[in-house]
């Protein structure tokens, strides 16, 4: 599903079934050795997806470790993003000669828990939520913000609060994020898709000089 909302030049891979932990490099396994089984499964399967995506770009399998803020550390020359939710794991990777940053997110197409929308949204976002049949717009807004954070962090290495980006969701499956803090970019353009009980969002920002 995520591949439908990413540019063709971005390599992605998805899995709905979990991979065995033997698929991890020892340095990766060390990162999750004390984690709960569910966390180990999502971490492992997302790494398998990431290696499949890297292979599509002709890049050899290598450990994908996590940085101090839990960001994935990609091999030189690529940017990418990982997401996982119940029954869905995905990775998306692009060459850094083509893309400055990538952020992806998957969520169940279910309402947010009570009270969370007020915590993660601005008043104008709650007012201008677009209509889309069968899509839980509060969850979609949350997912778009998660993708924004995952695209923002590698560019800045800075935290971004939910109140620091204003999202406009369009019913045509796109969204815009206006950043309300100073930084190297003023916003992001992204895409979204809701299907099969899932919502996915993606940002892949091309380099301005991309041919
Ligand atoms: C980090 C965060 C975005 C992860 O989202 P999530 O819905 O919990 O989980 P997902 O499964 O979709 O994504 C998890 C993956 O995100 C990636 N990720 C985590 N922190 C990251 C960061 N700082 N930068 C980029 N990617 C990051 C990791 O690859 C992680 O998977 P892994 O630990 O197995 O490698 C979320 O937990 C968070 O901290 N959000 C608060 C910040 C925010 O969203 N601000 C809104 C700005 S408008």
């Amino acid at each position: 599903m995520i591949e439908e909302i990413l540019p063709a030049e971005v390599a992605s891979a998805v899995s709905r079934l979990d991979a065995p932990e033997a698929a991890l490099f020892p340095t990766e396994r060390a990162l999750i050795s004390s984690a709960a089984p569910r966390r180990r499964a999502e971490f492992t399967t997302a790494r398998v997806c990431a290696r499949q995506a890297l292979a599509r770009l002709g890049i050899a399998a290598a450990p994908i470790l996590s940085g101090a803020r839990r960001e994935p550390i990609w091999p030189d020359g690529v940017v990418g993003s990982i997401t996982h939710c119940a029954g869905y794991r995905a990775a998306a990777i692009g060459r850094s000669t083509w893309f400055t940053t990538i952020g992806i997110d998957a969520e169940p197409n279910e309402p947010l828990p009570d009270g969370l929308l007020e915590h993660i949204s601005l008043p104008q976002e709650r007012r201008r939520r677009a209509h889309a049949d069968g899509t839980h717009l509060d969850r979609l807004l949350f997912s778009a913000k998660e993708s924004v954070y995952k695209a923002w962090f590698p560019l800045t290495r800075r935290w971004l609060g939910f109140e620091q980006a204003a999202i406009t969701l369009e019913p045509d499956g796109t969204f815009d994020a206006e950043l309300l803090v100073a930084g190297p970019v003023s916003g992001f353009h992204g895409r979204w898709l809701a299907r099969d009980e899932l919502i996915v969002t993606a940002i892949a920002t091309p380099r301005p000089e991309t041919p």
Side-chain angles (χ1 to χ4, degrees):
M1 225 169 121
I2 199 85
E3 69 283 359
E4 295 178 49
I5 56 168
L6 286 163
E9 298 81 6
V10 172
S12 61
V14 169
S15 181
R16 288 174 180 268
L17 293 175
D18 280 326
E21 253 173 62
L24 291 180
F25 284 87
T27 46
E28 291 173 328
R29 203 171 307 138
L31 295 178
I32 49 145
S33 57
S34 57
R38 201 182 73 174
R39 170 67 184 139
R40 292 155 70 128
E42 67 179 22
F43 179 93
T44 301
T45 309
R47 260 69 196 165
V48 171
C49 291
R51 284 194 261 286
Q52 289 169 356
L54 285 168
R56 284 179 197 145
L57 295 176
I59 297 170
I64 299 154
L65 304 180
S66 305
R69 299 293 289 270
R70 229 187 100 194
E71 73 283 7
I73 300 173
W74 300 107
D76 286 348
V78 299
V79 293
S81 185
I82 283 173
T83 188
H84 23 60
C85 69
Y88 191 88
R89 287 81 165 87
I93 300 169
R95 290 198 180 278
S96 40
T97 45
W98 284 72
F99 297 95
T100 55
T101 190
I102 292 176
I104 65 170
D105 187 69
E107 295 285 326
N109 187 5
E110 293 167 2
L112 288 175
D114 282 350
L116 193 56
L117 178 63
E118 288 66 31
H119 175 69
I120 62 108
S121 62
L122 298 164
Q124 68 264 34
E125 292 172 327
R126 296 196 286 274
R127 277 197 302 274
R128 63 165 122 94
R129 280 189 293 158
H131 174 77
D133 281 342
T135 305
H136 290 284
L137 295 169
D138 53 349
R139 185 71 72 157
L140 172 57
L141 181 63
F142 178 74
S143 179
K145 291 202 170 197
E146 298 283 76
S147 280
V148 165
Y149 180 67
K150 292 179 195 176
W152 161 267
F153 186 82
L155 293 176
T156 60
R157 315 219 39 91
R158 274 162 46 199
W159 173 253
L160 188 71
F162 286 101
E163 73 293 355
Q164 291 179 314
I167 309 284
T168 306
L169 298 169
E170 302 293 351
D172 67 356
T174 63
F175 68 88
D176 286 294
E178 179 194 356
L179 293 169
L180 306 177
V181 286
V185 289
S186 57
F188 295 108
H189 182 70
R191 294 182 64 195
W192 65 269
L193 179 64
R195 192 198 295 148
D196 298 341
E197 297 168 3
L198 280 177
I199 292 172
V200 290
T201 56
I203 293 165
T205 305
R207 283 202 181 277
E209 65 275 20
T210 294

